């Protein structure tokens, strides 16, 4: 199978969309489980797995730990790779073994979504070089230092550049995931999922009051 | 310690707010991890734990499994008990052993928050009898049958009745949790957390476009 962007016709209960979220110690809970909620509402058309460097459960910054389904050495084939943020990114940007595996997996996966400071991890793989991307607004200045060749967008709910979907802080991952559902399926599917989750989707990618609140734009 | 509602002065890094989320097979991911994200952003003033009937990891309806910190037989002392929904509630409303332990824990905990069809589980303990409550809008008619003596509110983002905070579907748990933070701390703390999570808080409890979308009100 090639890396050609997938289309709606591929994903059925017999061939579900496989979504993988990479966890690391001190990941941010909502960065992971907001997006996995959205893909989970595709029901039998989707399958979600967690991945990490090692197979032991991984603890979030808030405390609760998640079971790991696959290691980065045996990630299997994914359709969508999700990279969350969290305070643990400050350590993982220096974890070269982890970043090398993350790069290999991101290259092999048709779509890659980052949430919050997860964009810093993807930036460190150099796969965002020359591409437009955004990230968490509170940590934006730090994230920018992790990818000097990235075309950083300070004000955006999320940014799409080819197969890379990068989102703003924490809850923005939910809006970005609905954008991914629109690309992979269609807008009607995304709207139906948002309504089922009783979520007010910020469908406009440029909506970003937090860039101003956190001092990135006047 | 009595069941008197707690106040801001109690919660410090030395005596953090203890928030417990009850998991069961096929729980809904965002029902749990949206609220735990909000409480997690209290940082050292809060501690989050997961609880379940048994100590084994519990699988969500979307696939990923969570580690269990405490069983319902040894729940310890909580300040806030969170009860999520999900398709697994259809089984748990008939699990009398689980419901008996849930009732004991809910009675012993100063604040109880339900998310989505989690309200059906609390309704089955009879602790909501005579009280106002809301729930998921897609499953509302089923939830109502689980608590014939509850004063059901069809249109509300969340409802507060004394120590019981019941919320609408899935993402509404985030708004309700910010309401709990307001009660336990203050509004400024809730606003600061929402901004940090880059979340547009629906602060108005009566905001509920989904009641109309899902046919509960004209």
């Amino acid at each position: 199978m090639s890396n050609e962007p997938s289309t709606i016709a591929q994903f059925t209960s017999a061939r579900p969309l496989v979504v993988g979220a990479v966890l690391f110690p001190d990941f941010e809970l909502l960065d992971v489980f907001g997006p996995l909620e959205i893909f989970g509402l595709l029901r039998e058309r989707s399958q979600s797995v967690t991945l990490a460097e090692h197979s032991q459960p991984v603890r979030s910054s808030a405390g609760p730990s998640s079971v790991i389904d696959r290691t980065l050495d045996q990630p299997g084939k994914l359709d969508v790779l999700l990279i969350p943020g969290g305070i643990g990114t400050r350590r993982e940007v220096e974890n070269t073994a982890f970043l090398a595996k993350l790069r290999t997996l991101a290259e092999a996966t048709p779509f890659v979504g980052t949430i919050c400071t997860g964009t810093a991890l993807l930036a460190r793989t150099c796969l965002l070089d020359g591409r437009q991307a955004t990230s968490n607004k509170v940590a934006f200045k730090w994230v920018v230092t992790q990818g000097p060749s990235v075309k950083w967008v300070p004000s955006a709910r999320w940014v799409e550049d080819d197969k890379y979907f990068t989102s703003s802080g924490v809850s923005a991952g939910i809006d970005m995931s609905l954008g991914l559902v629109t690309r992979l399926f269609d807008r009607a599917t995304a709207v139906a999922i948002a309504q089922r989750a009783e979520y007010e989707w910020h469908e406009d990618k440029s909506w970003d009051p937090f860039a101003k609140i956190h001092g990135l734009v006047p």
Side-chain angles (χ1 to χ4, degrees), chain A:
Chain A
M1 188 180 146
S2 77
N3 285 346
E4 281 302 301
S6 309
T7 59
I8 180 170
Q10 289 181 258
F11 305 119
T12 64
S13 55
R15 159 65 180 116
L17 176 79
V18 182
V19 180
V22 174
L23 306 191
F24 45 82
D26 294 318
F27 71 91
E28 193 79 20
L29 280 176
L30 190 60
D31 291 19
V32 173
F33 295 110
L36 291 189
E37 172 69 36
I38 297 303
F39 290 108
L41 288 173
L42 288 163
R43 309 288 192 209
E44 68 283 356
R45 289 180 292 171
S46 164
Q47 176 196 347
S48 292
V49 296
T50 55
L51 304 103
E53 208 175 358
H54 308 291
S55 58
Q56 294 85 355
V58 174
R59 192 174 189 275
S60 68
S61 58
S65 296
S66 290
V67 172
I68 297 303
D69 299 314
R70 303 177 183 181
T71 66
L72 290 179
D73 291 318
Q74 303 265 337
K77 187 78 192 163
L78 305 177
D79 297 297
V80 176
L81 172 65
L82 297 173
I83 307 173
I87 197 67
T89 57
R90 309 305 192 278
R91 183 179 52 236
E92 299 304 329
V93 290
E94 306 298 340
N95 182 347
T96 51
F98 171 78
L99 291 172
K101 291 171 190 172
L102 190 66
R103 179 178 169 122
T104 301
L105 184 55
E107 286 183 302
T109 304
F111 289 95
V112 179
T114 68
I115 303 97
C116 198
T117 50
T119 315
L121 297 175
L122 187 61
R124 285 295 286 246
T125 69
C126 300
L127 290 173
L128 288 178
D129 283 1
R131 294 189 183 277
Q132 291 201 312
T134 196
S135 183
N136 177 291
K137 297 303 140 66
V138 178
F140 201 78
K141 286 172 188 172
W142 172 76
V143 173
V144 164
T145 65
Q146 304 302 310
S149 301
V150 178
K151 294 174 183 166
W152 293 105
V153 182
S155 182
R157 190 62 171 169
W158 80 93
V159 168
E160 301 180 11
D161 190 329
D162 190 37
K163 72 179 220 177
Y164 297 101
F165 286 56
T166 56
S167 64
S168 200
V170 195
S171 71
I174 300 175
D175 295 317
M176 178 274 285
S177 296
L178 289 163
L180 263 167
V181 168
T182 301
R183 179 85 75 89
L184 287 160
F185 294 86
D186 51 37
R187 181 177 176 274
T189 301
V191 168
I193 285 175
Q195 289 182 354
R196 190 154 188 102
E198 300 187 27
Y199 182 71
E200 187 181 42
W201 181 21
H202 301 101
E203 187 176 351
D204 176 2
K205 291 194 291 286
S206 71
W207 178 86
D208 188 5
F210 303 103
K212 184 171 182 179
I213 286 170
H214 297 303
L216 293 180
V217 296

